[in-house]
Amino acid sequence: MSCCTNIMRKIQAKKIEVDDLGKAKQFRLFSIARPHMRSFHASWFCFFVAFTSWFGIQPLLPTIRKELELSKTDLANSGIASVAATIAVRVIIGPMCDKFGPRKIMCSLLITGAIPMALAGLIKTGTGLIVLRLFVGILGGTFVPCQFWTSAMYNSKIVGTANAIAGGWGNLGGGFTFILMPGLFQLMKVIGADEFLAWKLAVVVPSVICVLTGISIIFTSDDCPQGHWDNRLLPSAPTCSVDKTNQKQGVDNQGFEHISDKDKNANKAVKETNIDGKKFEPLSSEIRNNDKRISNQSNIFWSVITILVLVVQYGMCFGVEIAVNTVMNLYFLYNFKKEGCVEEGNSFSNITITTMTSEVKEADTNECSILDQDSASLIASLFGLMNLFARAMGGIYSDIMRQYFGIAGRLVAHFTCLVGEGIMLIIFSQMSTISTSIAVMIFFSMFVQMSEGTTFAIVPYVLPSHVGIVAGLVGAGGNAGALVWNTLWRQFVEQNPSQWFWLLGIIVLSGSLLTFLIEVQEKRIWSSFLCCKQKQRKYTI
């Protein structure tokens, strides 16, 4: 015990190198020192707890359906309501993070979402379940302050890695809840509760954890490197002189790295940031103002285009992940059947209709399936478990590409991950055996989650003064995408469910080309090839 304590003390004692804004340039995973690493661990754990509670009702739905006599349609509609609520919350929460900081917003979401979760036992009808999950969906909005928090703490060199690890580990809650909630359900039955009372008591546990976690981060973590959100430092504009008395506060962001006060003249600033080696020649005030006005209009236009593209593309990765999580077990259960076995209805479409409209006993009859319900769910869980490292791989990949090609390298990383995702989707749709499907699914899952990591490695650079707004919009795009893909699933499941994956692959491949429209810091994806031999040195302005 003392040995472990000494090791932890040594880890905490190591200082983390920071930039002029106080943002960390180093990442010490096993440290919990304030402010940087404490905030990192607080951000991903809060998101993990929220994700666990958000999907906490899902494993208990068979018992809930039995008690309330619900149809499959009622359950499907409740799932849609849960995702739909998250879209609205993520859009609203972004600007609130810009104004109040991530810590207070995270706490508010955890407590607000925990209340309806704890009251789940009061529902009596299918409509009640839909309304309940609509409000529990508030917990899905914690993704925005999670990513906002890490963006406020880490320098541009490693922010992609920090964002990806925090987001990926938080997403693990969606898989962990399928272990936790059945365990709590069985525990309640062991201590004497019947099955209908057991699930009502089980849902209270994650609710209490959410409340305790939300309260604890207010007293144990920080909004930014300077502590309270009101004390944050902002990057200075590259001007000849800096008037510190008139410096306004806004969202400090890694998109623009701070220029040291030692760099007092414009010639020096331009020299350090001009990778083309062009000489700086002073211009008249009138010409500079006119050029600045034109440049600002162009920047605003391309920023809007960039945000729209990222919203769509995040729907093609995170949206695909959510949609696949809701159908993958059914795909394995019904798509792989015993040779020569004939089920009543003799078609996949009839089986699907049965699951949506008929009695529970008929819907659960899958005598011709090679897999049973538990084994199919276990295989499908592999898809979500890849979040343990795959999303982080996307962030690390983006950070590495930035080191060699500047900001354009992040665009290249994002493009290649989306292309890999699209290809794997198409290959997966053609697999005819369980073993090959599992193997391809693992690679498919890796590319999906790496694409999520590369997306949020770009987000902080788009509008450095409004990271929360951009993160909220892009995050909402993921949930909107899930609604679209689930709607398509209902259309294809009656004919050939494999075609759903094929169509998604084509859509993702086509959507990856939208990366060529993204402009960040006046750089496009092709800038990495035009300047591939020139490294961006010290500053990114």
Side-chain angles (χ1 to χ4, degrees), residues 392-411:
M393 286 175 58
I396 294 171
Y397 176 37
S398 181
D399 285 342
I400 292 174
M401 293 297 288
R402 178 194 173 278
Q403 292 178 5
Y404 289 95
F405 305 112
I407 188 63
R410 293 196 185 276
L411 303 181

Side-chain angles (χ1 to χ4, degrees), residues 15 83 95 110 183 333 335 372 396 470 482 487 505 525:
K15 292 185 178 180
V83 175
L110 286 173
L333 188 63
N335 201 54
D372 58 26
I396 294 171
V470 179
T487 301
I525 189 172

Side-chain angles (χ1 to χ4, degrees), residues 87 311-312 314-316 318-320 323 476-487:
I87 298 175
V311 168
V312 173
Y314 199 59
M316 296 177 181
F318 186 66
V320 168
N479 292 84
L483 288 178
V484 174
W485 310 141
N486 280 330
T487 301

Side-chain angles (χ1 to χ4, degrees), residues 238-290:
T239 57
C240 295
S241 62
V242 179
D243 184 2
K244 297 182 180 180
T245 61
N246 293 329
Q247 185 175 354
K248 296 182 179 179
Q249 290 188 338
V251 176
D252 77 341
N253 181 273
Q254 75 286 348
F256 287 87
E257 293 184 20
H258 183 59
I259 295 180
S260 174
D261 291 337
K262 296 179 181 180
D263 298 327
K264 293 294 185 179
N265 58 76
N267 289 341
K268 187 173 181 180
V270 172
K271 181 179 179 181
E272 291 188 354
T273 57
N274 188 356
I275 63 173
D276 296 328
K278 297 180 180 179
K279 294 182 178 181
F280 174 79
E281 297 181 3
L283 299 175
S284 67
S285 176
E286 182 178 352
I287 295 177
R288 283 200 303 269
N289 290 338
N290 184 55

Side-chain angles (χ1 to χ4, degrees), residues 70 73-82 85 123 125-137:
L70 304 177
T73 303
D74 292 328
L75 301 185
N77 290 337
S78 71
I80 293 174
S82 178
I123 60 175
T125 63
T127 302
L129 179 63
I130 293 173
V131 174
L132 171 74
R133 299 197 71 183
L134 182 70
F135 285 99
V136 173

